[in-house]
Amino acid sequence: MRHKAPLIDALLGLIAGVGLVALYAPLLATAAISFFQVVRVRGALGFAPFSLDPYAALLANGEILAALATSLVVAAVASIAALGLALMFAFYFVSARRGLGLAMQTMVFLPFLLPPIITGLSLLIAFREIDLGRGLVTIIIAHIVFIVPVVYRTVLVRLQLLGSSLTEASLDLGASRVQTLRYVILPQMRPALISGVLLAFAISFDETLITLFVAGSQTTLPIRLWAMMRVGFVPEINALATLILLFTAVITFAIGMLQRAGERA
């Protein structure tokens, strides 16, 4: 029987509370400032009345909207391509000999495990050697290389949990391998596939360092935000950071719900 320790429980709760405040207070402060701008009145700091002017200025900024469109296109294309590659790698891993599967898996994870500056520099050198000019295509390729491991791991775990019994039963009942994949395996993996794509989309959308190496004249939203911060904090930055925070929170919540649905299934 577990003995209760109120003092230890209270101490752990206090530590957890302080940790949560340290993590989320800056984010909540940024969101608050986007609605109530900080002003100086008679030498003292105060808050201006509630206003949506920073969001209006953000929506009127054509450069930010163009960068947002580029980030959405890159994240969507890279996530879908990464899903296709991750599925092929996962099926190969469960069917190949152990040595070959582990070698393939090491190659898949390597770009993600390396420091982003090394991955970005390596991709830049590779693009230069094949004479591929930096732009939207190189950004998408770089993001695919970086996010494939995320989708691959999510897909592989679900595929291993399914085991081989469903495939064997489907084949025994006369279905072809394509029919088994379409009507048996993929429906069972749907929560893992969707959550993997959403997670990859969020990572691609926020990627900055690798993108700096391969972007050329193209500008994604994180790069545009970084450029705006170099010249000083303007109200649009707080509004943009708040919207990105809300967008990421929605994706995180969706991933959590999908993972719970997969566990129940």
Side-chain angles (χ1 to χ4, degrees):
M1 181 178 180
R2 179 179 178 271
H3 297 283
K4 293 184 177 181
L7 182 60
I8 295 178
D9 291 343
L11 180 61
L12 293 176
L14 177 62
I15 294 174
V18 172
L20 289 175
V21 170
L23 286 173
Y24 291 103
L27 301 177
L28 295 177
T30 300
I33 294 174
S34 69
F35 297 105
F36 303 93
Q37 298 183 47
V38 178
V39 296
R40 185 177 294 275
V41 181
R42 297 177 181 178
L45 293 178
F47 292 95
F50 176 84
S51 174
L52 295 176
D53 290 343
Y55 292 89
L58 178 64
L59 294 177
N61 193 319
E63 293 181 349
I64 291 180
L65 295 180
L68 173 61
T70 301
S71 290
L72 291 175
V73 170
V74 169
V77 175
S79 300
I80 295 174
L83 175 62
L85 291 172
L87 276 170
M88 290 189 292
F89 292 148
F91 282 118
Y92 178 79
F93 181 82
V94 298
S95 61
R97 290 185 296 178
R98 182 174 179 81
L100 294 176
L102 290 176
M104 180 275 299
Q105 186 167 257
T106 301
M107 297 299 295
V108 170
F109 281 125
L110 191 59
F112 189 80
L113 297 176
L114 287 173
I117 190 171
I118 301 299
T119 302
L121 182 60
S122 301
L123 289 169
L124 174 61
I125 295 173
F127 294 145
R128 186 185 63 183
E129 291 298 322
I130 63 175
D131 197 24
L132 180 60
R134 292 184 297 169
L136 187 63
V137 174
T138 56
I139 296 175
I140 292 175
I141 294 174
H143 282 216
I144 292 173
V145 171
F146 186 68
I147 65 177
V148 160
V150 177
V151 190
Y152 167 75
R153 186 59 185 171
T154 305
V155 170
L156 179 62
V157 170
R158 181 59 180 165
L159 185 60
Q160 289 177 325
L161 288 175
L162 290 178
S164 59
S165 58
L166 287 176
T167 301
E168 294 172 354
S170 177
L171 295 176
D172 288 341
L173 292 173
S176 66
R177 290 192 175 273
V178 174
Q179 291 173 327
T180 300
L181 176 65
R182 180 179 178 182
Y183 297 110
V184 179
I185 303 301
L186 292 182
Q188 293 293 327
M189 297 178 61
R190 186 178 294 113
L193 299 179
I194 298 176
S195 61
V197 167
L198 290 177
L199 183 58
F201 186 94
I203 294 175
S204 174
F205 186 82
D206 293 336
E207 170 53 40
T208 305
L209 187 54
I210 295 177
T211 309
L212 282 172
F213 283 91
V214 300
S217 60
Q218 289 287 340
T219 301
T220 61
L221 189 60
I223 294 179
R224 181 58 190 166
L225 178 60
W226 178 75
M228 293 170 62
M229 293 175 60
R230 294 179 62 189
V231 298
F233 285 89
V234 295
E236 293 94 318
I237 290 182
N238 295 323
L240 180 58
T242 302
L243 292 177
I244 294 176
L245 173 63
L246 179 62
F247 174 74
T248 307
V250 171
I251 289 182
T252 303
F253 178 78
I255 292 173
M257 296 300 293
L258 288 169
Q259 288 179 341
R260 290 186 59 184
E263 292 174 357
R264 289 197 297 267

